[in-house]
Amino acid sequence: MKSNLPDFDELLFLAKNKPDDLEKLREQLIEEAIQDAPLEYQRRLRGIQFQVDMKIRQSSNPMSACVAISKLMYESLHQLQLTLNDPEQAQLTRKRLNGEMSSDEGAAPADIICLTSHREAVSP
C-alpha cells in the first residue's frame, strides 16, 4: 500500500504533538521506498538505512543527528568522487577502511635508518 506524505502543517503537528506517530510514518515511508526499489538494491538500501538510524540513535538532539547524517552523505559523495577520478587510490582507501590491508601497505617505500649505527657516529 502506497502512503501519501502528509502536508507540511500536518507533519509539523505530528512533530510537536505526536513524535511517535511521526517516527512510525517515517519508518513506513522508508520501508515502502525500499520495497519499491529493484530487488538487487534492497539489501544495500537497508544497510544504508541502518547506518542512518544508528547515527540518529547516537545523537543527543535532532541537530546533531542532522549533522551526523550530512557527514555520512558527504563521505559517501567524496568516495564516489575519488572512485571516478582515481579508481586505484579509491580501491586502496576502501581496503584500508574495511581492514583488508594495513595502513602502511600500498604506501611509498621508506628509507630505514639503523639507530645503533647513527648513535655511534654521533657520540663523541
Side-chain angles (χ1 to χ4, degrees), residues 3 11 18 34 37 47 53 61 98-99 113 115:
S3 298
L11 291 172
K18 298 181 177 182
I34 291 173
D53 288 341
N61 59 59
N98 292 335
I113 301 170
L115 294 179

Side-chain angles (χ1 to χ4, degrees), residues 51-113:
Q51 290 179 358
V52 169
D53 288 341
M54 289 302 103
K55 294 291 182 188
I56 292 170
R57 286 192 184 114
Q58 293 171 347
S59 300
S60 57
N61 59 59
M63 183 57 74
S64 173
C66 182
V67 170
I69 294 167
S70 293
K71 182 179 177 190
L72 190 67
M73 292 186 331
Y74 175 79
E75 289 168 356
S76 179
L77 181 60
H78 176 71
Q79 185 62 39
L80 175 61
Q81 180 186 24
L82 184 59
T83 300
L84 292 173
N85 294 331
D86 191 352
E88 290 178 12
Q89 181 62 38
Q91 187 175 20
L92 287 173
T93 301
R94 200 169 19 260
K95 283 182 177 181
R96 275 193 201 110
L97 291 174
N98 292 335
E100 297 173 19
M101 62 188 282
S102 65
S103 60
D104 61 345
E105 195 174 341
D111 292 332
I112 298 175
I113 301 170

Side-chain angles (χ1 to χ4, degrees), residues 8-61:
F8 177 81
D9 292 328
E10 188 174 344
L11 291 172
L12 182 60
F13 174 80
L14 289 174
K16 288 182 177 180
N17 302 305
K18 298 181 177 182
D20 291 340
D21 289 352
L22 180 62
E23 179 61 19
K24 287 178 189 171
L25 176 63
R26 182 186 77 88
E27 290 172 0
Q28 177 185 351
L29 292 171
I30 290 168
E31 182 59 30
E32 288 176 9
I34 291 173
Q35 288 290 332
D36 287 347
L39 194 57
E40 62 268 18
Y41 297 121
Q42 289 183 14
R43 182 173 178 208
R44 179 69 179 126
L45 289 171
R46 289 193 194 288
I48 293 168
Q49 188 57 47
F50 176 80
Q51 290 179 358
V52 169
D53 288 341
M54 289 302 103
K55 294 291 182 188
I56 292 170
R57 286 192 184 114
Q58 293 171 347
S59 300
S60 57
N61 59 59

